[in-house]
Every structure is written in C-alpha cells, then in structure tokens.
Amino acid sequence: MPPVTGTRGLVAYRSPTPQDALPAWQLARKTPHSDSPGPHSYARWFRDFADTSLVAAAGRDVIGFLIGYRRPDVPDTYVVLRTGVSPLLGVPALGAHLLRAAAEREIAKGARFIEAAVPPGNAAGTEACEQLARWYGAHTHREPLFPSSWSSGGDHDEILHRIGPLYGTS
C-alpha cells in the first residue's frame, strides 16, 4: 500500500522492530477497548512476528501498529492479534488502512482470509473489518469466538470477524 499523508506528513507502513515496542505499548494503553500487556511483550512480538506485522510511522514517530500471524492449522488465514492507533494525528481511518496494508502483504503470500476478534462496542474495529471487506468485495462472517467468562474482566465476548475469500489487490 502506498504511503498516505496526514497532518503530520507522510505515513509509511513498515515491518516493526523490537525498538518500536515502547511506543506501540504506549499507544495500546491509550487505545479504547485494548487490554495491554507490557512493553517487553511488544518487543518479543515485533521480533518474532516482524514479517506478519506492521507499524505506521510518521517520520520517526510510531503512530499505529498491527500484530498478526498466519494460523498454523489454517495457513490461508491471517489473524490480527492486536492493533493500536493514535486518533489525534489527522490520519483518517488509520486503523483501516493499516489493516488493508497488512492484508495486501499477506494476500501476496497466499492468505485468503483475515480474522480479527473485535469486542462489542469497538465501533472503529468493526468498521475497519467492514471497510476491508468492501475494499475486496468480500463477505464478513461474525460469530462469538471466546465467551466473556474466559477473560479476567469478564465484561464482553470476543466476536470473530472472518473476512474473505480475498484475491489480488483491493
């Protein structure tokens, strides 16, 4: 996906490095509906999943991230594990564009489906999934993934959004 321009200038999408962990963790802490592990977890994820994850950077500032992986048991499926974006930087639909950039990269490597667990009430996450489906003319299937009783907070079920099949560029 080509870079986009926001009020802070050009936004480029690149693979994360462990050094991006602290700003990503700080973004996650500020992102509504995000349960955030510590910065060392982000460093480990960015080290281990750099080929399947992205950060959005404006200059040297990380303004968004997406951690994803391919499901070992369903290799044509790309799973979005965690995202975070800074909504105050003048980049409209940054989360949706980050998702699209990740999807394009994974489709080029053979993915045909994208899965993301979105909690109820996360309108931005739901809209990003719906936008991705529209870009590709694909279907979105929704179903409960994990019940609220499985989480420590116990306040909501995780809803799986499965988008696809996806082919070619959007």
Side-chain angles (χ1 to χ4, degrees), residues 88-104:
L88 305 175
L89 296 175
V91 182
L94 178 59
H97 287 288
L98 199 54
L99 179 59
R100 183 179 185 180
E104 287 179 2

Side-chain angles (χ1 to χ4, degrees), residues 33-90:
H33 307 289
S34 178
D35 54 340
S36 180
H40 287 108
S41 294
Y42 286 89
R44 192 169 43 254
W45 287 334
F46 288 166
R47 181 195 68 191
D48 296 345
F49 298 111
D51 287 346
T52 55
S53 301
L54 290 174
V55 294
R60 298 183 67 167
D61 295 329
V62 173
I63 61 170
F65 71 93
L66 182 149
I67 299 169
Y69 62 92
R70 295 293 277 276
R71 280 186 60 185
D73 58 332
V74 187
D76 71 344
T77 299
Y78 176 71
V79 176
V80 176
L81 178 64
R82 183 171 301 281
T83 64
V85 297
S86 180
L88 305 175
L89 296 175

